[in-house]
Amino acid sequence: MLHFARWKSFLILLTVISGVVLTIPNFFDEDSVKSWPDWVPSKQMVLGLDLQGGSHLLLQVERDGLVKERLETLRGDVRNLLREDRLRYTNLAIAKQAVQVRITDPTKVEQAREKLQSLATPVSLGFVTGQSSVNEVEITVSDGNQLRLALTEEGILQRIRSAVTQSIEVITKRVNELGTTEPTIQREGADRILVQVPGLDDPESLKAILGSTAKLTFQMVDATSSVQDVLNGGRPPIGTDLLYDTEDPPQPYLVERRVLVSGEELSDAQPAFDQRTNEPIITFRFNTSGARKFGRATQENVGRPFAIVLDGSVISAPVIREPILGGSGQISGSFTAETANNLAILLRAGALPAELTIIEERTVGPGLGADSIEAGKVAGIIGAVAVVVFMILSYGLFGVLANTALAANILLIVGTLSVLGATLTLPGIAGIVLTIGMAVDANVLIYERIREEARIGRSAIASIDAGFSRALGTILDANITTLIAAVILFSLGSGPIRGFAVTLAIGIVTTVFCAFTFNRFLIAQWVRMKRPTAVPI
């Protein structure tokens, strides 16, 4: 067991040297590492929120807003379907969690009900939830000729779950656009999303990015009606809404509800400066479908103003001077360079499916993270010195070799975490400390077995060989059971728990390698050089 073939020796040394090389970038600051040549390993461990500070937000999907938007859509669908069959109706309105409509001719109620039945088709849920479909809308008849389309509770909950899933995708895109590293974005319960961004110096920018729904639409302005009449108490013309721009004081516009093109059909948006006025603007480009719609709309409405509406506010309302057929344009307004950049990020990432409310906000200062790191360093140094002294006092030369293997173990863990780009958190440090303890325990187990063999009169080489052989089974049993626990933690846990599980799993593999293979390799080299007659422990 103390014989190593050349290729085995080469692989063992290559593994340890790789660990050392991959760990080195962590001893330099980020700016220095960036200046290194590309072929030099330069990946560093990413420190988590608890070690370097950052922002923590807990967001909640606004149920009321989601229900209101769904009811507005449902009311529009009811109107369109009834008009398709020329069914006359009155009192089409939203009442609580339902849309009500009264059919003028009572003899056609059943025909209207059958026509609207398509809106009550069960929504498929796929195969993940264990439920095949859910009824989102229920249709009932009352007072003889009144149809009521009510949203079901399970349908609303399904909408919220779906909105959370879509929001996580959009938030991930937005946060990544900020240039942050290793953000944590995950579901919390049925309607909440946890966002943690380590190292973000400006938490207000994160709130600005996540607090906007970013629903962009292009709609025509109704210039045939008087805005002043509506402001004096009149009703907006059918099919229009009174919206305001973002100027101070805000200017009112009568905007048609019909959406010409939506932000979902943007393929790109970038901040820029207007070459004539030098003011910040956002340039945008539509995809093929959006470009076709926008070109057709501008062709049909030359000379009329159209509104660029973001989250219910008019950003700009230019007049169409000529058809815009290239599929690109620009948005001007009262932007600063920062707000133009943020709006471009929002448009590139897409709109949130629902409004999100910040219900918990915490900012972990870098000072707290620095304190944690400093305390961890002190604890690590004290623990390492105690382990080194104990091993040397207990096992002499073999203790020195065990400490060498232990140092290699730590370097391999740090090097592996660096290559994987894993985030190191306080629980992750706990995983490393636990791994060190397991490595020391494995060495103690091996050396005690060697002692036992030496006491019964075996030669030095036979004692060493038997000690490693007898300890192998116990070491593997202990580490495999711990590895199973780490896999379960990773599968069922989230956030810091997963970080702990990853660190622990990596540490288990490196511990078995260093305690059993690398340490045995070092002892084998010593045996080959010294040809000992007695075991020095």
Side-chain angles (χ1 to χ4, degrees), residues 50-89:
D50 49 1
L51 293 180
Q52 64 169 324
S55 297
H56 165 109
L57 296 178
L58 187 60
L59 309 170
Q60 184 175 39
V61 172
E62 274 298 309
R63 176 191 168 105
D64 292 344
L66 197 68
V67 171
K68 181 181 178 184
E69 185 175 347
R70 180 69 184 103
L71 288 173
E72 290 285 356
T73 303
L74 187 61
R75 181 170 64 173
D77 292 340
V78 170
R79 180 187 296 114
N80 293 334
L81 288 173
L82 293 179
R83 285 178 177 176
E84 280 182 7
D85 281 11
R86 300 181 183 278
L87 293 168
R88 301 184 64 182
Y89 61 88

Side-chain angles (χ1 to χ4, degrees), residues 23-24 52 77 106 210 212 248 273 282 299 314 323 393 434 451 537:
T23 304
I24 287 175
Q52 64 169 324
D77 292 340
L210 301 185
S212 176
D248 186 20
F273 287 94
I282 297 102
Q299 269 182 324
V314 177
L393 291 179
L434 178 59
R451 272 180 175 170
I537 56 176

Side-chain angles (χ1 to χ4, degrees), residues 15 405 408-410 412-413 416 420 431 435-436 438-439 442 475-476 478-480 482-484 486-487 501-518:
T15 302
N409 188 10
I410 296 172
L412 282 174
I413 295 174
T416 306
L420 296 177
T435 301
I436 293 173
M438 294 173 64
I475 293 172
L476 288 179
N479 283 279
I480 288 173
T482 310
L483 183 61
I484 292 172
V487 171
V502 169
T503 308
L504 183 60
I506 293 172
I508 289 170
V509 175
T510 59
T511 293
V512 173
F513 171 77
C514 290
F516 188 78
T517 304
F518 184 55

Side-chain angles (χ1 to χ4, degrees), residues 350-361:
L352 288 167
E355 184 181 353
L356 299 177
T357 305
I358 299 173
I359 60 174
E360 183 180 319
E361 174 188 353

Side-chain angles (χ1 to χ4, degrees), residues 364-416:
V364 180
L368 179 59
D371 291 344
S372 301
I373 294 174
E374 200 57 37
K377 285 181 180 177
V378 173
I381 291 172
I382 294 174
V385 170
V387 168
V388 168
V389 171
F390 170 79
M391 293 300 290
I392 293 176
L393 291 179
S394 300
Y395 303 107
L397 175 63
F398 277 22
V400 175
L401 298 179
N403 289 331
T404 305
L406 184 61
N409 188 10
I410 296 172
L411 293 175
L412 282 174
I413 295 174
V414 175
T416 306

Side-chain angles (χ1 to χ4, degrees), residues 61 66 69 158-174 185 187 193 215 264 349-354 356:
V61 172
L66 197 68
E69 185 175 347
Q158 174 54 30
R159 282 268 167 189
I160 292 174
R161 283 194 291 269
S162 176
V164 169
T165 302
Q166 295 176 39
S167 298
I168 288 175
E169 294 180 7
V170 175
I171 289 173
T172 301
K173 290 180 183 175
R174 292 185 181 182
I185 302 167
R187 180 191 296 268
I193 301 170
K215 287 191 174 178
E264 295 173 356
L352 288 167
L356 299 177

Side-chain angles (χ1 to χ4, degrees), residues 9 20 137 144 174 206 270 365 484 500:
S9 301
V20 174
V137 178
R174 292 185 181 182
L206 178 64
Q270 296 291 339
I484 292 172
F500 173 79

